[in-house]
Amino acid sequence: MIERLEIILKKYNDLSEELLKEEILSDYAKTAQLSKEQKELEETVIIYKKYKKVLVDIEELKSMEKDTEMMEIVKDELFNLEKEKETLEEKLQFLLIPKDENDGKNIIMEIRGAAGGDEANIFAGDLFRMYSHYAEKMGFKIEIMNAVEGTAGGFSQIEFMITGENVYSKLKYESGAHRVQRVPETESQGRVHTSTATVVVFPEVENKEVNINENDLKIDVYHSSGAGGQSVNTSNSAVRITHLPTNTVVTYQTERSQLKNKQKALQVLAAKLQDEQRQKEEKLLGDARKSKIGTGDRSEKIRTYNYPQNRITDHRINFSIMELDKVMNGNLEPIIDALILEDQKRKLAGENN
């Protein structure tokens, strides 16, 4: 571990020197790239420096143990430093786990009403608002790409992009079936119903990362429409692209320019196709998927939102909190933090086996 940490420390220091050079400072793109690399190493370097200081302090105290007058004080301080050393070692082990290459990316999220008719669509709308509140709290931005409203409210389908710093690292665990248990507004006898909505999360990719043959595409254009079906503008700017070999359909209508909608639709299509390829590769690996937090499949039940008990449960890690009202208002951090911690533990266990 120390050898790996020393390499990281050297790289961090080398980057610091590079960022002081005039030829680098005059190149904005290069400065941004090196600053990003350094930022990714910063937390590890800070904790490693603390760890090194603790080791030095422990050795100094051990040399004082022979002093009978200082023995009790030294013993207490040594105990505290040994505890701090263990805590820092654990943090460093987690920080040395290989990062997901997609963690720093923006995401595309799809939410669909599934089992439960109108109530499922209403719940899909509730989930969209939950993620919107969370994005606002985190300083992320949301851009709706396509939305089909439910007849009784909510959405039968909504697709949107979330952009910001390390969005995928926070929301990559949200893919799967979300189940709600509550009394629907339409229920006259007060019976609790169970409905589901599905969520899929894709990391954003550049078109060049996926080879898409133009001959495999069917492109349709039509009037953009907003909530309730009203026309957003009178030009045929909305774009629907169908990838014929996989029957993958992408719709984009946010921009007023047909060309911009097409470019963004192609970017979303690339993300979907890459995700499909990744899922196929992981299935071929078999047991490799078992170490993950969920499979990412829409059919996998990942979470239950129990309104009568104000309880939310993530079934993948057996985690429950009685704060459903807060979660629905965007306070997703307790669940996301628990998922990240469990993911790190599983990766660390896999690395140590």
Side-chain angles (χ1 to χ4, degrees):
M1 183 179 80
I2 298 297
E3 186 178 341
R4 289 169 68 186
L5 288 165
E6 283 294 328
I7 291 169
I8 289 170
L9 179 59
K10 183 178 184 307
K11 185 175 180 182
Y12 182 88
N13 291 334
D14 289 345
L15 286 167
S16 297
E17 290 180 15
E18 285 288 305
L19 285 164
L20 293 174
K21 294 179 180 178
E22 285 187 21
E23 63 268 28
I24 299 295
L25 290 170
S26 61
D27 185 337
Y28 176 79
K30 189 69 175 175
T31 300
Q33 178 200 330
L34 294 180
S35 296
K36 184 182 177 186
E37 286 181 33
Q38 189 184 51
K39 184 72 175 173
E40 289 171 353
L41 303 175
E42 192 170 53
E43 185 182 2
T44 305
V45 168
I46 289 170
I47 293 175
Y48 181 45
K49 284 181 178 178
K50 283 183 185 177
Y51 179 71
K52 289 178 80 170
K53 185 179 185 308
V54 167
L55 292 181
V56 170
D57 290 345
I58 287 172
E59 289 305 311
E60 286 180 356
L61 283 173
K62 282 182 176 178
S63 68
M64 296 166 62
E65 278 185 309
K66 294 176 183 177
D67 189 334
T68 53
E69 292 181 7
M70 299 285 290
M71 192 175 291
E72 286 302 315
I73 298 171
V74 168
K75 195 177 289 184
D76 288 342
E77 286 191 33
L78 263 177
F79 176 80
N80 292 331
L81 283 171
E82 289 289 352
K83 292 281 287 182
E84 187 178 355
K85 177 190 167 195
E86 288 176 16
T87 300
L88 291 171
E89 279 178 348
E90 188 176 352
K91 285 182 180 178
L92 287 168
Q93 284 178 328
F94 283 136
L95 286 167
L96 288 175
I97 296 169
K99 299 284 191 297
D100 185 329
E101 62 181 12
N102 292 317
D103 276 352
K105 293 185 176 181
N106 301 322
I107 67 162
I108 295 141
M109 183 178 279
E110 292 182 357
I111 305 175
R112 297 172 185 260
D118 288 340
E119 173 64 7
N121 293 341
I122 292 168
F123 180 51
D126 293 339
L127 289 176
F128 172 67
R129 280 187 290 279
M130 177 185 77
Y131 291 123
S132 298
H133 290 315
Y134 174 71
E136 186 179 354
K137 284 183 66 177
M138 297 297 293
F140 301 156
K141 292 183 180 178
I142 283 187
E143 181 182 318
I144 296 174
M145 297 154 35
N146 183 50
V148 180
E149 288 193 342
T151 54
F155 301 98
S156 63
Q157 174 183 343
I158 184 166
E159 298 157 316
F160 51 98
M161 295 185 75
I162 304 181
T163 57
E165 188 176 345
N166 298 318
V167 180
Y168 186 75
S169 71
K170 301 290 186 183
L171 294 172
K172 62 184 175 182
Y173 307 105
E174 295 304 298
S175 289
H178 295 238
R179 182 175 69 171
V180 63
Q181 293 174 325
R182 64 184 176 190
V183 179
E185 293 178 10
T186 54
E187 172 56 58
S188 58
Q189 297 181 26
R191 292 175 299 185
V192 173
H193 285 226
T194 299
S195 305
T196 58
T198 59
V199 176
V200 184
V201 176
F202 308 100
E204 184 184 25
V205 300
E206 296 295 329
N207 292 348
K208 61 187 178 184
E209 293 181 47
V210 180
N211 184 25
I212 299 176
N213 188 337
E214 286 277 347
N215 295 326
D216 290 337
L217 304 179
K218 179 177 181 288
I219 300 176
D220 301 304
V221 295
Y222 57 96
H223 287 320
S224 296
S225 60
Q230 73 265 29
S231 176
V232 172
N233 60 70
T234 56
S235 62
N236 286 333
S237 61
V239 174
R240 181 188 299 110
I241 300 178
T242 305
H243 185 250
L244 299 173
T246 60
N247 200 33
T248 302
V249 180
V250 171
T251 302
Y252 213 105
Q253 59 175 331
T254 304
E255 303 288 346
R256 289 187 171 271
S257 159
Q258 184 186 124
L259 179 60
K260 285 183 179 178
N261 278 329
K262 180 183 175 184
Q263 288 171 341
K264 291 198 172 184
L266 284 170
Q267 194 173 5
V268 175
L269 177 63
K272 288 190 174 186
L273 293 178
Q274 187 175 78
D275 188 70
E276 284 179 18
Q277 182 60 35
R278 179 185 59 79
Q279 295 244 6
K280 286 178 184 176
E281 289 170 359
E282 287 183 354
K283 281 176 183 175
L284 288 174
L285 292 172
D287 289 343
R289 291 175 70 87
K290 294 180 183 177
S291 64
K292 296 182 65 181
I293 300 291
T295 63
D297 293 336
R298 288 189 186 191
S299 59
E300 182 192 18
K301 183 184 74 176
I302 66 166
R303 199 174 292 153
T304 295
Y305 302 69
N306 187 305
Y307 275 74
Q309 297 178 18
N310 197 36
R311 185 183 69 235
I312 184 165
T313 301
D314 196 290
H315 304 289
R316 296 164 296 179
I317 58 173
N318 296 318
F319 177 84
S320 293
I321 52 172
M322 311 299 282
E323 297 179 357
L324 176 58
D325 52 342
K326 294 179 182 178
V327 171
M328 297 310 290
N329 280 320
N331 187 33
L332 270 164
E333 290 94 330
I335 299 173
I336 290 172
D337 290 346
L339 286 162
I340 290 172
L341 181 61
E342 179 62 25
D343 191 29
Q344 289 175 333
K345 284 180 179 177
R346 291 186 189 187
K347 285 176 179 174
L348 190 59
E351 195 173 86
N352 290 338
N353 287 342

